[in-house]
Amino acid sequence: MIPKPITTRQQAAPQWQHVLHAAFTRPTDLLDFLQLPPGLPCLELSRVRDFPLRVPRGFAERMEKGNPQDPLFLQIWPRPEEDIETTGFSQDAVGDLHRLKSGGLIHKYQGRALVVATGACAVHCRYCFRRHFPYADALAARDHWREALEALANDPSIEEAILSGGDPLSLSDEKLA
């Protein structure tokens, strides 16, 4: 479903917000849209809620209908294999948690720091390496902006600050400013 254009009389959110609002969030709806069998193996629903399905319709339209092996479909489909624990693998795949500082900063590399601005993304990729990240506690946007900016200003070794998270462009212009 493509959103209708916004007229000058409407006071509406930007078009990308409409696109996110209309995204697929229920596995059954996505399977129906893609003409895939309703019995396709899926992660247990209670586990899907931990990292919910989110697929914008424009992204789903690029998937080959009727093909459960479509690479774009495999990127977003919550398969039961996600629940298999594997020795040597961790929920903190890239080591963010032990480098997380107050104010939502992750300082792992010389000269640069990540500012965890949001946990929101337009597409929930099943391979997301921050799917278990404690966004509720670690967002700079949650009244930690001043703390994050102060930490950046007080560390002369940091030459580059990268907005990260999820997708920082999902934030409003006001929050980004």
Side-chain angles (χ1 to χ4, degrees):
M1 175 177 160
I2 298 174
K4 295 178 182 175
I6 298 172
T7 64
T8 54
R9 284 188 236 162
Q10 292 175 313
Q11 290 278 321
Q15 185 176 5
W16 63 267
Q17 290 174 322
H18 290 291
V19 170
L20 290 184
H21 182 71
F24 289 103
T25 56
R26 293 179 30 185
T28 54
D29 293 342
L30 180 64
L31 291 177
D32 186 50
F33 175 79
L34 293 173
Q35 301 169 2
L36 291 169
L40 198 65
C42 182
L43 186 63
E44 185 180 311
L45 194 55
S46 64
R47 297 287 294 139
V48 173
R49 285 188 193 112
D50 293 340
F51 187 65
L53 180 78
R54 181 181 297 170
V55 185
R57 291 177 183 271
F59 189 80
E61 288 169 0
R62 289 170 172 76
M63 298 175 194
E64 182 183 345
K65 291 191 176 183
N67 181 4
Q69 297 303 311
D70 178 85
L72 295 178
F73 176 72
L74 293 174
Q75 177 178 328
I76 53 84
W77 184 247
R79 296 173 27 181
E81 292 84 358
E82 289 180 31
D83 254 353
I84 297 172
E85 289 193 28
T86 304
T87 304
F89 286 81
S90 151
Q91 290 188 347
D92 185 22
V94 296
D96 284 347
L97 294 178
H98 75 276
R99 296 294 195 151
L100 180 63
K101 299 178 183 240
S102 61
L105 291 179
I106 299 174
H107 192 184
K108 293 194 299 190
Y109 303 106
Q110 180 62 34
R112 69 175 53 130
L114 295 179
V115 178
V116 181
T118 181
C121 286
V123 178
H124 285 181
C125 301
R126 303 318 296 180
Y127 56 79
C128 178
F129 59 84
R130 286 203 185 120
R131 70 191 293 171
H132 301 289
F133 192 82
Y135 287 107
D137 302 325
L139 289 183
R142 294 256 163 95
D143 299 323
H144 297 289
W145 283 109
R146 285 183 181 79
E147 190 177 352
L149 292 174
E150 191 174 298
L152 291 170
N154 290 331
D155 188 339
S157 74
I158 298 175
E159 299 171 356
E160 178 181 20
I162 302 166
L163 294 180
S164 188
D167 182 357
L169 294 179
S170 67
L171 294 170
S172 68
D173 291 346
E174 294 78 24
K175 284 189 179 181
L176 284 173

